[in-house]
Amino acid sequence: MDIPRGTKVFSSSAIAIAGVSKAHCWSCLSSLNLKFSRCSSCKRASYCSRNCQAYDWKHGHSQLCEIWKSRSVSDASDSELQTEFEKDEEMLLKIALALSKHNNRLDDNMLEELAKFEAFVTLETHLSELDDKIVSTMKKICKSVKSKLPTSDPQLLLSHLAKFRCNNFSIHDSQMFGGVGEATFPLGALINHSCIPNCSVMYEFGRNPGKIYQVITTLRNINAGEELTDAYVDGMAEKILRRNLLLDRYKFLCECSRCSFDKLNPNSNWMPSGYFRVDELMSRETKHKSLNLDENSVEIWLLKELKKKANLIFGPLLDTSGLISYDISSFSAYVMRNLIFTKTDQETVDDDFEFLKRHDGVVSELSLINLDKVPAKYPFKYPVWNLEVFKILSPKLYEFMDKGDWNAATILAQYVLAIYKIVYPRYHPMVTLQWIMYGKCVWNQSSLSEQGKVAESYVAIKTAKDRAELMHLDGDLVMVGYDDSVSGRPILKPPNLKRRCSPGNVINPELGAKEETPFEKIEIISLRADFRFIITLR
């Protein structure tokens, strides 16, 4: 039986959690507010509430405090992240305590718990493949915590430590920002890696002390007999970096279908030939070469590029006379017009194969473009889809957002979205989040009298919302307006002044008049005269 796209395959809780960020609770991983509590003894751990602090104390922190409080506070508190040594101490102690506790009282009525701990036992240690220096450090970690544990078997502790070092998950939040914490999910660790994954991994946390859930959801329709896979590393990284990271951390050389064309699963009818050539496309002409950039030339060219009027994905095309290879707007318009399904494509909107055919066509055409005719003032010598060029241009998006230059930000947001559409699977969470970013930029660029831009922002956010619902991403999707008078920082808490609009109409707070729009239902929140607006889809 095939598994449809958007299926929640399973959700499992963590055996143990390690806090690594000063900005998040070490028990539930939620963001800390101004009233957070910090452990007065070791001065490492921070908590969002007394309940979370009490839970963590009971489940391992009381023992860790005895170990940590004798050390210099500066070793941990002066750094943004906890030292690797102490993070491993925390995970080892908490896992050993959890294993000891559940080995004594598990029964057949606790099937999920049984499955988690049995899965942990089966995980690989890769001890024989580790460097002697690393093993020596691991033995020191085991020695530092063994006096606080029910078992003092050093070999068993070393095995536990080795298992979670190469099977742990770095926890990211709903916006895909990492560094929130680390956790051990044995069931999730059984899923193998692919640089073109067919599943996404998301996390639910912040609701209960010590309870973190890993949710595995299918990114596309999966055929019977096909293996479930997720990505251990970011697919935006170049092939050699991905492989090196996987070899160093997880001890295997990646031979997934993206890295090795001949490793296709014979049970799969999913033949994404365009994805096989993405790495070659994005590293074309820059292998083992330096860009040797003149930063002044880059700034001059970029400012000129971003003064052009932004194209709308769902509106009439503006000037796209520039060469696709060296013109941001032309490249973005080409990719988006080919990979976005419009209302005229409703019969194929859910067809993965139709999207793959279009994706393959885009990658093929870009790969065949002659790159010899580089414009005189173009600073990179390589096309705008080149990975090294992308690394330079993509951070500029946030710079222009902070400056309040929304036309420039819209052009760059569409460019990043186009690159993501080429690299990531169609329903990957990063693509969803970039749709939100693009909609935000278009909205802030527009006035409510500009029907095309208002409609564009709505369609972008609606696209993100539909994708989020399909992939079971929790939380409201909110376009946040920016206050131009406060360095463009986002307004996170909208005031109470709200104006509800009926379907087909929107109230313009500036003009006090109703304007016809294609919106189904929308809410405009007026902030103040000097603020932009927030638009939410519920």
Side-chain angles (χ1 to χ4, degrees):
M1 180 179 178
D2 294 348
I3 304 176
R5 177 178 62 230
T7 300
K8 188 183 290 188
V9 181
F10 67 84
S11 173
S12 64
S13 58
I15 286 182
I17 305 160
V20 298
S21 168
K22 287 183 180 181
H24 294 83
C25 176
W26 279 30
S27 179
C28 70
L29 301 186
S30 61
S31 298
L32 294 176
N33 55 34
L34 296 177
K35 297 181 180 180
F36 71 89
S37 302
R38 176 166 289 165
C39 180
S40 59
S41 181
C42 70
K43 295 181 173 59
R44 264 81 159 171
S46 299
Y47 303 96
C48 65
S49 67
R50 291 293 182 184
N51 286 340
C52 276
Q53 188 169 8
Y55 181 94
D56 202 39
W57 182 264
K58 181 180 178 181
H59 289 81
H61 191 69
S62 59
Q63 292 92 330
L64 288 167
C65 253
E66 292 296 318
I67 299 170
W68 289 348
K69 68 181 182 181
S70 61
R71 297 180 190 160
S72 171
V73 175
S74 62
D75 290 343
S77 63
D78 286 353
S79 174
E80 178 65 25
L81 297 179
Q82 188 182 19
T83 63
E84 285 292 314
F85 191 91
E86 289 184 346
K87 181 194 71 179
D88 286 344
E89 282 180 322
E90 182 177 11
M91 287 298 293
L92 176 58
L93 187 142
K94 288 183 174 180
I95 283 176
L97 286 175
L99 286 170
S100 174
K101 175 182 176 182
H102 289 288
N103 282 341
N104 293 330
R105 67 179 185 84
L106 280 179
D107 56 49
D108 290 340
N109 294 322
M110 305 171 68
L111 294 180
E112 182 188 348
E113 295 297 299
L114 279 168
K116 284 194 305 183
F117 288 99
E118 287 184 7
F120 183 80
V121 172
T122 67
L123 296 178
E124 294 282 351
T125 65
H126 297 289
L127 269 171
S128 62
E129 302 168 57
L130 296 177
D131 183 86
D132 290 343
K133 187 176 180 180
I134 294 175
V135 174
S136 176
T137 301
M138 291 170 64
K139 287 180 178 179
K140 291 179 182 179
I141 293 170
C142 295
K143 184 178 180 180
S144 72
V145 303
K146 72 176 184 178
S147 63
K148 306 295 181 183
L149 294 170
T151 177
S152 58
D153 183 347
Q155 198 58 39
L156 182 60
L157 293 180
L158 186 62
S159 174
H160 291 344
L161 182 55
K163 284 178 180 178
F164 72 71
R165 277 180 69 97
C166 61
N167 289 285
N168 262 13
F169 290 84
S170 178
I171 308 299
H172 55 73
D173 61 18
S174 61
Q175 303 300 305
M176 303 299 287
F177 289 113
V180 174
E182 291 209 359
T184 299
F185 294 95
L187 294 178
L190 297 178
I191 298 179
N192 284 327
H193 164 82
S194 172
C195 296
I196 323 175
N198 55 30
C199 292
S200 69
V201 178
M202 298 296 286
Y203 299 95
E204 295 176 355
F205 55 84
R207 297 175 182 175
N208 298 297
K211 295 297 182 182
I212 313 296
Y213 294 91
Q214 184 182 64
V215 182
I216 309 297
T217 307
T218 56
L219 288 169
R220 59 173 174 81
N221 299 327
I222 299 176
N223 299 316
E226 188 178 353
E227 182 181 16
L228 300 180
T229 59
D230 69 74
Y232 295 1
V233 296
D234 188 0
M236 278 301 303
E238 59 185 329
K239 179 177 177 178
I240 189 170
L241 177 59
R242 296 197 310 271
R243 282 187 143 190
N244 287 341
L245 286 171
L246 292 166
L247 189 60
D248 179 63
R249 176 72 186 271
Y250 301 101
K251 307 305 175 188
F252 69 88
L253 180 66
C254 184
E255 293 187 339
C256 72
S257 53
R258 178 173 168 186
C259 293
S260 302
F261 185 82
D262 59 339
K263 301 294 181 180
L264 280 175
N265 185 337
N267 292 317
S268 176
N269 293 322
W270 196 70
M271 301 289 286
S273 57
Y275 285 102
F276 301 148
R277 289 177 281 116
V278 163
D279 291 308
E280 181 67 26
L281 172 71
M282 297 191 70
S283 63
R284 186 180 174 194
E285 305 295 328
T286 56
K287 290 182 178 179
H288 313 297
K289 296 180 182 179
S290 171
L291 292 181
N292 295 322
L293 292 175
D294 176 354
E295 292 187 10
N296 187 52
S297 298
V298 172
E299 289 299 318
I300 292 173
W301 169 80
L302 186 59
L303 289 174
K304 185 177 179 180
E305 277 284 294
L306 300 181
K307 284 182 179 178
K308 299 175 181 177
K309 194 171 182 180
N311 274 301
L312 298 181
I313 296 173
F314 302 102
L317 277 176
L318 301 175
D319 179 27
T320 56
S321 58
L323 294 171
I324 290 178
S325 310
Y326 309 108
D327 182 284
I328 296 175
S329 296
S330 295
F331 162 74
S332 302
Y334 167 75
V335 173
M336 300 307 289
R337 288 302 174 104
N338 279 279
L339 296 185
I340 299 300
F341 292 97
T342 65
K343 289 183 177 180
T344 59
D345 296 314
Q346 285 301 313
E347 69 277 5
T348 60
V349 72
D350 291 322
D351 190 339
D352 285 336
F353 290 100
E354 174 64 24
F355 176 80
L356 290 174
K357 186 168 67 174
R358 295 190 186 192
H359 182 275
D360 182 55
V362 167
V363 174
S364 296
E365 289 193 34
L366 293 177
S367 299
L368 294 173
I369 290 177
N370 188 332
L371 302 178
D372 293 336
K373 298 179 181 179
V374 182
K377 294 184 179 180
Y378 183 73
F380 298 116
K381 300 181 181 179
Y382 308 114
V384 292
W385 62 76
N386 179 278
L387 186 58
E388 296 303 317
V389 175
F390 176 75
K391 290 176 184 177
I392 294 168
L393 294 182
S394 56
K396 302 290 184 182
L397 167 58
Y398 300 96
E399 292 181 21
F400 284 98
M401 288 174 67
D402 283 345
K403 292 176 182 177
D405 187 340
W406 294 107
N407 184 75
T410 297
I411 292 173
L412 287 171
Q414 190 180 118
Y415 164 69
V416 173
L417 180 57
I419 293 290
Y420 282 4
K421 293 286 288 183
I422 290 175
V423 176
Y424 288 117
R426 183 181 177 193
Y427 287 92
H428 194 282
M430 288 298 292
V431 180
T432 299
L433 291 173
Q434 192 57 30
W435 271 114
I436 300 172
M437 182 69 73
Y438 175 66
K440 178 193 301 183
C441 291
V442 177
W443 173 260
N444 280 293
Q445 180 200 5
S446 68
S447 69
L448 291 178
S449 61
E450 295 181 277
Q451 295 296 302
K453 292 177 182 177
V454 174
E456 179 96 353
S457 66
Y458 170 76
V459 174
I461 296 297
K462 182 68 163 57
T463 299
K465 181 175 182 288
D466 291 344
R467 286 166 169 268
E469 289 176 348
L470 176 68
M471 303 308 297
H472 308 288
L473 303 181
D474 288 339
D476 293 329
L477 295 177
V478 181
M479 276 180 57
V480 184
Y482 278 70
D483 174 6
D484 294 332
S485 66
V486 193
S487 303
R489 297 303 172 191
I491 314 301
L492 298 179
K493 295 182 179 180
N496 294 324
L497 178 59
K498 300 182 180 181
R499 298 183 179 180
R500 177 71 64 180
C501 305
S502 59
N505 294 284
V506 65
I507 299 175
N508 186 334
E510 294 177 346
L511 304 177
K514 290 186 177 181
E515 300 174 354
E516 291 300 316
T517 73
F519 297 161
E520 296 173 1
K521 192 170 188 180
I522 205 160
E523 181 178 283
I524 302 295
I525 304 175
S526 175
L527 299 179
R528 280 204 309 269
D530 56 338
F531 282 66
R532 300 291 292 179
F533 307 109
I534 290 179
I535 179 173
T536 61
L537 293 171
R538 301 297 184 186

